[in-house]
Amino acid sequence: MRYTTVRFSTPLLTAMAASLLLATSAAQANETHDVEMHKVSAEGVEESIGTVSLEQTDYGLLLTPSLKDLEPGVYGFHVHQNASCDPAENDSGEITAALSAGGHYDPEQTGTHQGPYGEGHLGDLPVLTVNEEGEANLPVLAPRLSMEDMPGRSLMIHEGGDTYKDEPHLGGGGTRMACGVVES
């Protein structure tokens, strides 16, 4: 049996390593993560209404909903600080749907709502639109978020639209109606 020794030049090895890194990077860039969304109430987490797919793009985080059984309209849509959809007691002593999710994701502690394209907290997403059939499937782009921001967070759908302002409280998003935990 005869063995042949193959020698690789440094430029060839460098090119092979660069190609492997680019392929790995491209695979990671197209990585998706599905978040199962559930209706929520003061009693707890309820039935599933579908998923929101998260995908890193060159332009930010793309969120593609595949949701059903919702009332037609426009809803506030946010990333919340904690990975929980459980109810909790608010400052007034009332049990509130999905309050364990905490507030909107605000790693820079800006303390202000300015929408997905402003300089406020990162938790503001473009509004979620539900069609006449009760389905939400229109993708939204969060240009200041990345996939790296998402583990250990939750996605929240609020009754009512969103003004992206500090007044009225919560930017007008309203009651928490659906939630999904982004697993690590």
Side-chain angles (χ1 to χ4, degrees):
M1 185 174 263
R2 191 161 199 219
Y3 294 96
T4 304
T5 302
V6 177
R7 296 180 192 255
F8 293 101
S9 67
T10 301
L12 179 59
L13 284 174
T14 302
M16 289 170 56
S19 294
L20 181 60
L21 282 173
L22 285 172
T24 302
S25 176
Q28 288 173 345
N30 293 327
E31 176 186 346
T32 62
H33 184 83
D34 289 337
V35 178
E36 187 164 0
M37 300 294 291
H38 294 266
K39 288 186 177 180
V40 292
S41 71
E43 286 75 43
V45 177
E46 299 175 357
E47 72 270 12
S48 174
I49 58 169
T51 62
V52 174
S53 179
L54 309 177
E55 181 180 355
Q56 184 65 51
T57 73
D58 290 340
Y59 306 102
L61 189 66
L62 184 66
L63 296 95
T64 305
S66 180
L67 304 173
K68 60 183 177 19
D69 299 328
L70 295 167
E71 290 294 318
V74 177
Y75 297 93
F77 191 31
H78 305 108
V79 176
H80 280 247
Q81 187 65 37
N82 304 320
S84 177
C85 294
D86 292 330
E89 190 174 309
N90 66 19
D91 293 338
S92 303
E94 298 173 0
I95 301 299
T96 303
L99 193 60
S100 293
H104 296 178
Y105 178 53
D106 190 11
E108 301 297 320
Q109 299 180 7
T110 65
T112 183
H113 300 262
Q114 294 184 23
Y117 311 107
E119 297 298 317
H121 63 70
L122 294 179
D124 275 337
L125 299 174
V127 294
L128 182 78
T129 304
V130 178
N131 65 26
E132 290 299 318
E133 289 78 38
E135 300 171 344
N137 50 29
L138 185 63
V140 298
L141 181 67
R144 298 184 308 134
L145 283 174
S146 73
M147 194 73 94
E148 292 174 358
D149 294 312
M150 299 307 293
R153 310 273 172 250
S154 59
L155 293 178
M156 192 73 63
I157 302 171
H158 295 266
E159 290 180 0
D162 198 330
T163 63
Y164 303 120
K165 296 185 183 338
D166 295 327
E167 296 297 328
H169 183 63
L170 294 179
T175 304
R176 298 169 185 209
M177 61 180 266
C179 180
V181 171
V182 182
E183 301 294 333
S184 298

